[in-house]
Amino acid sequence: MKAQYYFLLVVIMPVMLCSCPNGSDENPGFVVEMQEFVKDISAYAKGKSSDFIIIPQNGEELAFNNAEPDDGLCTPYIDAIDGVGIEELFYDNRLRVDNYRLKMLQTLKNHVKVMVADFVGNDANIADSKKRSADEGFIAFPRSKDNYDYMLIPTTGITGENASNVAVLADAKNYLYLISTEKYANKQAMINAIKATNYDVVLIDLFFDEIALSSDDIEQLKTKANGGKRLVICYVSVGSAENYRYYWKDGWKKGNPSWLKKNYEGYPDEFWVEFWHKDWRDIIFGSPDSYIDKIIAAGFDGAYLDNVEAYYTLAN
């Protein structure tokens, strides 16, 4: 959910690559490592649930060899994902069209779903933000000036509102992005508020007040108010560790363990991680206590992988 972008590319490997040794401690290139990480998460999750959806947020350069659009698509990476999430593409408080990223997304939309989450400082511009996405064939969730942290549910003006059953991400015409739950007195209040909407895709956190949502909770969310079926996707940060998550241990801080590598500017509860490190990979997937396993066990239809741009952050 972090609206921080890095417009200069760092090409660490001088040759075109789209694979690397899994979990290598001798990093041959942060770009390649993150491509492999996302691919491995996808292979593991889809191995347990073949229809499981994978959507990395930001870091759209990873869909290209060497994170360089001129080097062509990284086909194995494209094959591993179902969509890409993008923050602040057209609006970052005010109109600031990011033409560099837009050009990449115009290529990617022919392969995966593009989900745009602009931040619109003036609510009068929400309609324009939606139109810009629609004109490109993207689906949009523009945040109003009081919804920067994804805590509100817009209940009117849902683009393409429909009663169709949405079984795959490609069929979605709109989505809800709700990962801050402080507006709700309890879990059921939040569930009821989401149930009352007709969004095709609901993107939420695994936890409410640090307690994981159950499969019964998620099942309640899979039907739109108008009776159509929808997808429920789980937010998870794969490029940063958060000190309020179940996996965090007493005494952890930057540098301890060593893969807690760098402070996350503006977010004192988060740290950029060496995402290729085995300990971090084990936290994210591979065992019943891992994050992805918990997401699958709760009945989510997919995972929204935030902070994949760690490949850039750690290189600078």
Side-chain angles (χ1 to χ4, degrees):
M1 66 184 224
K2 314 305 185 298
Q4 297 185 10
Y5 301 107
Y6 312 95
F7 303 120
L8 298 176
L9 289 177
V10 173
V11 179
I12 299 174
M13 297 295 289
V15 296
M16 187 177 297
L17 292 171
C18 200
S19 63
C20 68
N22 290 342
S24 172
D25 287 329
E26 295 182 4
N27 181 16
F30 294 132
V31 167
V32 177
E33 291 281 10
M34 184 55 85
Q35 288 172 331
E36 289 300 304
F37 190 29
V38 171
K39 286 160 53 183
D40 290 345
I41 292 170
S42 176
Y44 179 79
K46 291 178 185 289
K48 287 185 167 290
S49 177
S50 60
D51 296 329
F52 197 80
I53 294 165
I54 296 292
I55 310 168
Q57 175 169 267
N58 302 324
E60 56 281 349
E61 298 95 341
L62 293 169
F64 300 88
N65 292 307
N66 299 320
E68 173 52 65
D70 289 342
D71 287 349
L73 289 170
C74 179
T75 302
Y77 184 86
I78 292 290
D79 290 345
I81 66 175
D82 301 272
V84 289
I86 305 296
E87 291 178 296
E88 278 77 90
L89 177 64
F90 299 112
Y91 279 84
D92 179 5
N93 193 31
R94 62 180 177 84
L95 181 63
R96 292 187 177 95
V97 179
D98 187 338
N99 287 305
Y100 173 71
R101 290 195 298 157
L102 178 57
K103 184 177 179 180
M104 284 188 284
L105 297 170
Q106 288 169 336
T107 297
L108 293 181
K109 71 180 181 183
N110 297 316
H111 304 275
V112 297
K113 197 74 170 181
V114 177
M115 306 168 67
V116 178
D118 279 338
F119 175 58
V120 181
N122 184 340
D123 289 2
N125 292 324
I126 287 176
D128 183 65
S129 172
K130 291 180 178 180
K131 183 178 185 302
R132 288 175 183 272
S133 281
D135 287 349
E136 294 291 345
F138 309 155
I139 58 175
F141 184 77
R143 288 162 290 154
S144 61
K145 61 185 178 182
D146 56 350
N147 195 26
Y148 181 81
D149 291 321
Y150 303 98
M151 65 177 62
L152 301 177
I153 302 177
T155 56
T156 60
I158 301 175
T159 301
E161 190 170 357
N162 65 89
S164 300
N165 293 330
V166 178
V168 294
L169 188 62
D171 292 340
K173 294 179 173 57
N174 52 66
Y175 74 107
L176 168 66
Y177 196 156
L178 180 76
I179 54 173
S180 296
T181 60
E182 61 195 66
K183 294 290 185 181
Y184 301 96
N186 54 61
K187 178 182 68 175
Q188 194 59 50
M190 180 192 74
I191 289 172
N192 290 343
I194 297 171
K195 285 172 61 179
T197 71
N198 291 318
Y199 286 99
D200 287 347
V201 177
V202 171
L203 168 58
I204 58 173
D205 200 274
L206 174 60
F207 299 90
F208 187 96
D209 282 349
E210 301 184 19
I211 298 175
L213 300 177
S214 69
S215 57
D216 288 341
D217 296 330
I218 302 307
E219 189 60 33
Q220 292 184 63
L221 300 176
K222 291 194 174 184
T223 302
K224 295 183 273 189
N226 59 27
K229 298 299 182 182
R230 63 175 160 211
L231 300 169
V232 184
I233 307 295
C234 188
Y235 172 94
V236 53
S237 177
V238 299
S240 71
E242 300 156 310
N243 65 14
Y244 49 87
R245 297 298 189 182
Y246 73 95
Y247 55 74
W248 191 268
K249 293 181 171 52
D250 290 343
W252 280 13
K253 59 183 179 180
K254 186 181 77 170
N256 179 30
S258 62
W259 44 266
L260 289 173
K261 197 64 176 177
K262 192 173 183 179
N263 291 329
Y264 198 138
E265 185 177 354
Y267 296 90
D269 295 331
E270 288 192 59
F271 302 85
W272 295 104
V273 297
E274 290 182 340
F275 48 85
W276 61 88
H277 197 285
K278 183 180 184 302
D279 289 354
W280 179 248
R281 288 169 61 93
D282 289 346
I283 285 171
I284 298 300
F285 73 95
S287 71
D289 196 46
S290 71
Y291 219 119
I292 292 296
D293 281 79
K294 289 179 181 293
I295 291 170
I296 293 172
F300 283 93
D301 296 300
Y304 194 82
L305 312 181
D306 194 15
N307 291 317
V308 297
E309 70 268 30
Y311 78 88
Y312 183 96
T313 304
L314 292 185
N316 292 273

